[in-house]
Amino acid sequence: MQSLGIDVLLKGTNMVRLLGGLWVAVRISLISVAISIVFGVVMGVIMASKNRVAEAICHVYLEIVRIMPQMVLLFIVYFGTTRVFGINISAELSAIIVFSFWGIAEMGDLVRGALQSVPVVQYESARALGMNDYVLYTQVILPQTIRRMIPLSINLITRMIKTTSLVMMIGIVEVLKVAQQIIEANRKTSPNAAFGVFLIVMLMYFIICFPISRLSMDLEKRWSQN
Amino acid sequence: MSETLLTINNLHKTFGEKVVLDDISLEVHKGEVIVVIGPSGCGKSTFLRCINALEDIQGGEVLLDGEKVRKDAKNISQMRQRIGMVFQSYDLFPHKTVLQNITLAPIKVQKRDKKDAEKEALELLKKVGLEDRGNDYPRQLSGGQKQRVAIVRALCMHPEILLLDEITAALDPEMVREVLDVVLNLAKQGSTMLIVTHEMAFARAIADRVIFLENGVIVEESANPEEFFEKPETERAAKFLKTFEFERE
């Protein structure tokens, strides 16, 4: 069997660079996920409310996010805004904007669905027992909403992490870009590096995403036993 | 007649254009069991929901012991604690155990000691034959057991009056009995109750007073249930009661 070319990563600072690239990807997703969760909850509450106008606006927003490929959004924000509005935003900020724009919409929809799936009589029986809004939401509604939401939002988070591989298209040197650079630089000496290095990159994504989806599986299992 | 606990004066309720309850007045005395019957859509469930202000009303007033029950009033939480309510179904909290369901409001709303609340909950569960199900989750219970727990949950708040809104309507026939027996026992112990039901035999057995509601108005009221069910005074009540009888020609 031929060499897998993994040895390339042991040369110089290659492995450190690759890990640095991974951190860039993780950083972008962490920030975007955090923003998405906070504002997604707000958006979900608005969508679940009976305000027609707010609901319509959220709906249009959600549809735009669903229809537009993330790459197009990245190009619009990074290249487009500079030309049209004359503002120069960094590639990483553009990436965070696009990923949050996407995450807030989808998270909002998940929160809306979870809120609406709690039967009205749950609110009513809690009120009939004399609960105020604080006790009603913290003890009765939110625990049920979160349980319904966890599996779907974990799925969204891992999708967001994986999709960060697109940001190299606007010049961000994240893990995949670093991998490409390492492979290019060592084309002569180890032509097989493409396989080995990308294999390691795949493993890195796995190591990041697996614990997250594992957590979701565990939570689901624990709650379904209850 | 014992003292008046609940007074409803000229209650008026509309959904948009539609008048659901039109000028309803009623006095409920301590220890009295009042059964409200009538065709579906006649407003009887809405009537109960207006009493603890789950619905807002467009006119009239509800007084508990002389104190107004109003949806937007500051003391609405206190007022609702004094009015227990059990719904048709799905009212137990699915993520909490039977015991947690019962003690949640006593602990969080009435700020009672957890141990005390649990002790009382277990005693009440024993009375309805469910003392060994305290740690189960609602989905492990049958429909009849769930409703018995819901009754216990309401009782644990020590309400002065209990509103039962078609509590057996979603149950399989063989489970209706176990729930109604619990309610009958409560009546024997002197609980004040307002009951909406479709179980006519049960209504007849438990009622001190029967109210026949149709199209949002009280068509007939009788302090003699036996007589009412045998020979109602109004034609509409007679027609309604007839729908529960079967005869082979």
Side-chain angles (χ1 to χ4, degrees):
Chain A
M1 198 173 106
Q2 293 198 351
S3 131
L4 291 178
I6 295 175
D7 53 305
V8 169
L9 292 173
L10 301 174
K11 284 189 204 159
T13 56
N14 282 352
M15 193 61 195
V16 178
R17 284 182 58 210
L18 198 62
L19 285 171
L22 183 68
W23 170 237
V24 172
V26 169
R27 188 170 61 208
I28 292 174
S29 16
L30 273 182
I31 297 173
S32 312
V33 165
I35 295 174
S36 301
I37 290 175
V38 173
F39 291 97
V41 169
V42 175
M43 182 172 153
V45 171
I46 294 173
M47 285 176 85
S49 75
K50 305 243 154 66
N51 188 330
R52 287 273 171 83
V53 180
E55 204 184 358
I57 293 171
C58 291
H59 230 89
V60 172
Y61 168 36
L62 184 61
E63 282 311 309
I64 291 174
V65 171
R66 287 202 172 138
I67 290 164
M68 289 277 250
Q70 276 80 26
M71 186 111 88
V72 177
L73 285 172
L74 277 173
F75 284 170
I76 290 176
V77 172
Y78 185 60
F79 299 115
T81 52
T82 318
R83 301 289 308 184
V84 176
F85 302 109
I87 30 173
N88 195 5
I89 43 178
S90 74
E92 189 165 328
L93 182 59
S94 310
I96 290 170
I97 291 172
V98 168
F99 279 79
S100 304
F101 183 74
W102 167 30
I104 292 169
E106 295 230 16
M107 191 61 87
D109 198 39
L110 295 181
V111 173
R112 177 201 57 77
L115 279 175
Q116 287 178 344
S117 66
V118 177
V120 183
V121 73
Q122 289 281 313
Y123 292 82
E124 291 181 338
S125 56
R127 291 227 166 85
L129 286 163
M131 292 185 200
N132 58 24
D133 276 356
Y134 176 74
V135 179
L136 163 70
Y137 278 99
T138 54
Q139 297 292 326
V140 179
I141 306 302
L142 284 179
Q144 295 186 55
T145 314
I146 291 168
R147 274 156 212 244
R148 283 165 214 247
M149 261 181 52
I150 289 271
L152 293 167
S153 33
I154 294 276
N155 176 288
L156 175 64
I157 290 167
T158 52
R159 272 192 297 142
M160 282 171 80
I161 294 172
K162 286 186 287 184
T163 315
T164 54
S165 56
L166 287 181
V167 302
M168 70 178 210
M169 301 303 289
I170 56 170
I172 297 177
V173 185
E174 47 66 76
V175 61
L176 204 62
K177 187 70 191 173
V178 176
Q180 272 187 355
Q181 287 171 347
I182 293 171
I183 293 159
E184 290 291 324
N186 296 284
R187 170 158 289 170
K188 289 263 166 57
T189 48
S190 42
N192 289 346
F195 188 82
V197 174
F198 284 139
L199 189 73
I200 295 296
V201 171
M202 189 190 86
L203 270 177
M204 285 175 164
Y205 276 117
F206 178 79
I207 289 167
I208 303 275
C209 292
F210 182 70
I212 302 177
S213 50
R214 188 63 222 215
L215 175 75
S216 145
M217 267 156 48
D218 284 352
L219 286 175
E220 252 184 290
K221 212 172 178 185
R222 174 140 36 114
W223 286 336
S224 73
Q225 275 163 0
N226 287 352
Chain B
M1 190 65 81
S2 61
E3 61 182 298
T4 305
L5 182 61
L6 183 79
T7 314
I8 296 151
N9 288 327
N10 311 100
L11 179 66
H12 190 74
K13 164 82 190 164
T14 55
F15 283 126
E17 296 280 287
K18 194 173 180 274
V19 178
V20 187
L21 295 170
D22 191 10
D23 201 28
I24 301 235
S25 296
L26 180 71
E27 274 194 8
V28 184
H29 306 277
K30 213 165 240 173
E32 201 178 16
V33 178
I34 297 185
V35 174
V36 184
I37 59 169
S40 9
C42 70
K44 50 195 192 306
S45 282
T46 311
F47 177 53
L48 284 197
R49 295 156 56 84
C50 287
I51 293 172
N52 67 355
L54 283 178
E55 302 279 351
D56 40 39
I57 55 179
Q58 279 67 46
E61 58 180 4
V62 177
L63 301 166
L64 182 67
D65 240 352
E67 250 186 289
K68 243 187 177 171
V69 184
R70 272 185 31 231
K71 196 178 185 178
D72 46 2
K74 276 219 171 79
N75 68 345
I76 185 63
S77 166
Q78 279 78 30
M79 297 310 284
R80 280 179 178 152
Q81 288 170 45
R82 299 166 59 189
I83 308 172
M85 181 157 187
V86 182
F87 298 78
Q88 187 172 327
S89 56
Y90 302 117
D91 49 349
L92 293 184
F93 308 133
H95 59 295
K96 301 220 178 262
T97 63
V98 166
L99 213 51
Q100 288 168 339
N101 258 285
I102 300 168
T103 57
L104 180 65
I107 294 170
K108 295 282 175 190
V109 179
Q110 295 181 328
K111 310 285 178 209
R112 274 159 62 190
D113 182 61
K114 189 167 181 243
K115 285 250 166 59
D116 282 353
E118 279 177 357
K119 193 169 155 244
E120 189 187 351
L122 283 171
E123 278 164 16
L124 287 168
L125 278 176
K126 196 166 180 184
K127 282 192 189 158
V128 301
L130 292 172
E131 65 270 32
D132 52 343
R133 307 306 295 268
N135 293 320
D136 287 349
Y137 282 86
R139 58 180 184 77
Q140 292 167 285
L141 305 181
S142 72
Q145 291 170 330
K146 277 184 210 167
Q147 287 304 68
R148 281 186 275 162
V149 172
I151 294 171
V152 167
R153 188 174 67 173
L155 290 177
C156 208
M157 297 291 282
H158 306 150
E160 291 161 43
I161 182 168
L162 210 51
L163 312 175
L164 307 180
D165 186 9
E166 299 194 34
I167 56 168
T168 58
L171 298 182
D172 290 337
E174 70 267 30
M175 296 187 174
V176 170
R177 181 84 210 195
E178 63 188 49
V179 176
L180 296 185
D181 279 343
V182 169
V183 181
L184 272 170
N185 259 328
L186 288 175
K188 269 186 226 154
Q189 289 156 23
S191 303
T192 315
M193 292 189 278
L194 246 163
I195 303 173
V196 166
T197 186
H198 282 298
E199 301 287 335
M200 291 306 140
F202 167 69
R204 187 172 181 162
I206 200 169
D208 293 319
R209 203 144 40 112
V210 185
I211 286 171
F212 176 65
L213 204 64
E214 195 180 52
N215 297 326
V217 289
I218 297 180
V219 174
E220 187 170 343
E221 186 178 339
S222 165
N224 190 341
E226 286 296 322
E227 205 178 272
F228 172 83
F229 283 103
E230 279 308 320
K231 221 169 157 279
E233 278 172 20
T234 59
E235 209 174 298
R236 276 140 86 187
K239 206 174 152 206
F240 172 73
L241 289 174
K242 196 102 171 90
T243 58
F244 292 90
E245 287 166 20
F246 293 92
E247 272 167 57
R248 196 165 157 175
E249 303 280 313

